[in-house]
Amino acid sequence: MAPVIEMRGIQKHFGAVHALRDVNFTLGPGEILGLVGDNSAGKSTLMKVMTGAYARDGGDVLVDGAPTQFRSPQESRDRGIEMIYQDFALCGNMDVGQNIFLGRWPRRFGLFVDRPRMYAEANAVLKRLKVDVNSVFQKVESLSGGRQQSVAIARAISFNPRVVIFDEPTANLSVMATERLLETMAELKRQGVAQVIISHRLTDIFEVGDRVMVLKRGENVGDRYVKHTTEREVLELIVSGAPETALTADEALAKAA
């Protein structure tokens, strides 16, 4: 099946720092990909290049096989790509419904906010995700970290994305909230939404992921199908790196067959 997104030979510099070096990346329809590596690996940088938050210095980004040049996150959103950051970017003094439709509240007669419609549609998005945030009228600042994250995901899903990128989604969550989040990711997969999980927690990736890609110092050093690798092998790639011997996911699958 053709990739939803493909990145070829991506280069990115920050002054003298070469943050990404000829990085290749693919994401299939409905696939969950774990993007891992140490703190200087280039994971978030690669995703920000994908979404147009950073301009690339070289390489190509293709969406549905067509070359694309995103100049801003809004342009990537228009093509169905959403990124959820660690801080969730929510307005704590507003309620759940207002946050889900922040900046695009439905209006009546072009003037007045259509509150009944807004809250009804917010409830519909939450129902689609099968998450519980108590009430769409509740102030976001009163919610737990896990439920605030659910609101951030609901806001992303309200745009009907084809791809959702999670930046360290379980870093500050309780065990129960992490379980709920992984269930939400599995539900999104069932609905055909492709996902990228930037994370240091391999256990989470191995629970819901299809494939894991390893970056080290801005280079590809491994690409594995989860069912054909182990957490130990991936950890070894993160720590030592082995670009000269690393197999692609398809090569690893052929070797295991």
Side-chain angles (χ1 to χ4, degrees):
M1 191 175 293
V4 177
I5 296 175
E6 186 175 3
M7 305 175 79
R8 301 173 180 170
I10 299 298
Q11 303 273 357
K12 181 61 184 175
H13 296 82
F14 294 102
V17 177
H18 201 167
L20 297 173
R21 303 170 182 266
D22 291 315
V23 175
N24 297 318
F25 172 97
T26 61
L27 183 68
E31 181 179 34
I32 298 181
L33 171 67
L35 184 58
V36 302
D38 58 29
N39 288 332
S40 60
K43 306 180 298 297
S44 293
T45 299
L46 182 65
M47 293 298 96
K48 288 178 180 178
V49 167
M50 178 194 292
T51 61
Y54 290 160
R56 60 186 183 271
D57 297 318
D60 299 296
V61 177
L62 295 86
V63 178
D64 295 324
T68 304
Q69 180 73 55
F70 293 136
R71 291 166 294 184
S72 71
Q74 183 58 53
E75 291 188 2
S76 66
R77 169 174 284 168
D78 291 342
R79 294 294 299 274
I81 303 170
E82 287 286 334
M83 186 164 180
I84 300 172
Y85 294 94
Q86 281 183 272
D87 64 1
F88 308 147
L90 299 173
C91 294
N93 63 332
M94 294 184 178
D95 63 37
V96 170
Q98 290 170 322
N99 269 276
I100 290 176
F101 290 97
L102 187 64
R104 53 195 176 92
W105 296 332
R107 296 184 178 276
R108 292 179 297 168
F109 314 116
L111 297 173
F112 307 104
V113 176
D114 189 341
R115 292 182 179 275
R117 177 184 165 193
M118 179 176 71
Y119 291 118
E121 292 184 359
N123 265 318
V125 173
L126 293 169
K127 185 176 180 180
R128 174 185 170 187
L129 288 175
K130 298 182 179 178
V131 297
D132 174 22
V133 294
N134 296 329
S135 169
V136 291
F137 304 106
Q138 188 170 355
K139 291 289 181 65
V140 162
E141 62 191 3
S142 69
L143 299 175
S144 66
R147 286 197 165 91
Q148 286 189 23
Q149 187 174 59
S150 293
V151 175
I153 296 171
R155 183 176 61 194
I157 294 304
S158 70
F159 287 94
N160 291 314
R162 301 174 63 202
V163 176
V164 176
I165 303 161
F166 295 89
D167 190 5
E168 296 291 350
T170 61
N172 300 308
L173 299 185
S174 66
V175 173
M176 184 175 296
T178 295
E179 290 177 355
R180 284 199 302 265
L181 174 61
L182 296 179
E183 289 171 0
T184 298
M185 290 176 174
E187 179 60 30
L188 289 175
K189 178 180 175 63
R190 285 190 288 271
Q191 296 178 17
V193 179
Q195 298 161 76
V196 180
I197 308 172
I198 304 171
S199 182
H200 288 89
R201 294 179 60 165
L202 294 180
T203 301
D204 297 338
I205 290 171
F206 272 73
E207 183 169 339
V208 297
D210 299 299
R211 189 160 56 91
V212 58
M213 173 178 159
V214 185
L215 291 180
K216 189 171 182 66
R217 291 191 291 272
E219 295 184 80
N220 293 97
V221 296
D223 190 337
R224 302 285 193 273
Y225 286 109
V226 166
K227 63 183 178 181
H228 292 298
T229 189
T230 64
E231 290 186 37
R232 179 174 179 177
E233 181 186 15
V234 173
L235 185 59
E236 287 174 352
L237 286 168
I238 293 171
V239 173
S240 63
E244 70 282 357
T245 60
L247 301 176
T248 67
D250 288 333
E251 288 169 340
L253 181 60
K255 183 178 179 181

